[in-house]
Amino acid sequence: KSFIHKILLLCVLASFGHTTAWAVKVIIDGVNYSINSNNQTASVVNGKKTYLSGDIKIAESVTYKDQIYKVTAIEEKAFSNCKNLTSVTIPDGVTSIGEDAFLLSTGLLSVIIPASVTNIGECAFIYCEALTSVTIPENVTNIEGMTFYRCIYNHRTTKTNQKYPSEIFNYQHIL
């Protein structure tokens, strides 16, 4: 009996070292953020609301219950179908832009991507037909296929065309 109590006590003590991640959604100026308690970060997520319009500045950090969470990612479809969104400023500290992040945001004219971004997901700006201004920093090491497909921006910046393969601008058939 004493042995079982010791084992149970060890299990209880071991469980104190583990924390469970929880996600809380916070809305700031109409932008939805998800907080990750394990790594003390926040991500921009899809709130299934397409009413965002005009110029949006993503917050550098989110405060929840007196704790500050640094925004590090724009998740999949975070701004998809926001047809009246005209510009987005992404803060330094964001490292990735997810797949379809701005899908069908047809009014989007410009995006400012900070040097901290290293990855831009597949189809991130697909069908952003009004997009005429994007600055892609040198630190971006991965741009997935079709990122700028059907953008007016398509093939307008010589530097971009020289640095990145044409697949980021064009549709690829996968057989």
Side-chain angles (χ1 to χ4, degrees), residues 16-49:
F16 285 116
H18 299 297
T19 57
T20 303
W22 45 268
V24 173
K25 290 200 177 165
V26 176
I27 300 173
I28 300 172
D29 296 328
V31 177
N32 291 275
Y33 299 88
S34 179
I35 294 172
N36 183 319
S37 63
N38 269 355
N39 61 12
Q40 302 294 302
T41 62
S43 298
V44 179
V45 295
N46 185 327
K48 306 229 183 281
K49 297 178 182 173

Side-chain angles (χ1 to χ4, degrees), residues 23-108:
V24 173
K25 290 200 177 165
V26 176
I27 300 173
I28 300 172
D29 296 328
V31 177
N32 291 275
Y33 299 88
S34 179
I35 294 172
N36 183 319
S37 63
N38 269 355
N39 61 12
Q40 302 294 302
T41 62
S43 298
V44 179
V45 295
N46 185 327
K48 306 229 183 281
K49 297 178 182 173
T50 59
Y51 63 82
L52 288 172
S53 64
D55 303 329
I56 298 291
K57 184 176 181 187
I58 296 172
E60 289 183 31
S61 62
V62 173
T63 302
Y64 178 75
K65 291 190 176 181
D66 297 325
Q67 181 71 37
I68 298 172
Y69 300 87
K70 188 166 177 64
V71 177
T72 59
I74 299 171
E75 298 293 340
E76 180 178 331
K77 298 184 180 179
F79 294 100
S80 67
N81 210 30
C82 291
K83 295 183 186 311
N84 296 315
L85 190 61
T86 54
S87 74
V88 176
T89 302
I90 302 169
D92 196 40
V94 169
T95 59
S96 67
I97 299 172
E99 183 176 317
D100 297 327
F102 295 92
L103 167 73
L104 289 168
S105 295
T106 54
L108 188 62

Side-chain angles (χ1 to χ4, degrees), residues 6-7 13 15-16 18 21 23 27 29 34 50 59 87 92 103 106 109 115 126 131 140 161 172 174:
K6 287 179 184 178
I7 296 294
L13 290 174
S15 70
F16 285 116
H18 299 297
I27 300 173
D29 296 328
S34 179
T50 59
S87 74
D92 196 40
L103 167 73
T106 54
L109 299 169
I126 193 167
L131 188 60
V140 173
N161 286 339
Q172 289 182 305
I174 301 171

Side-chain angles (χ1 to χ4, degrees), residues 92 95 114-119 136-142 163-164:
D92 196 40
T95 59
S116 58
V117 171
T118 58
N119 183 61
I136 301 173
E138 295 294 322
N139 291 350
V140 173
T141 56
N142 186 45
K163 183 174 178 185
Y164 301 106

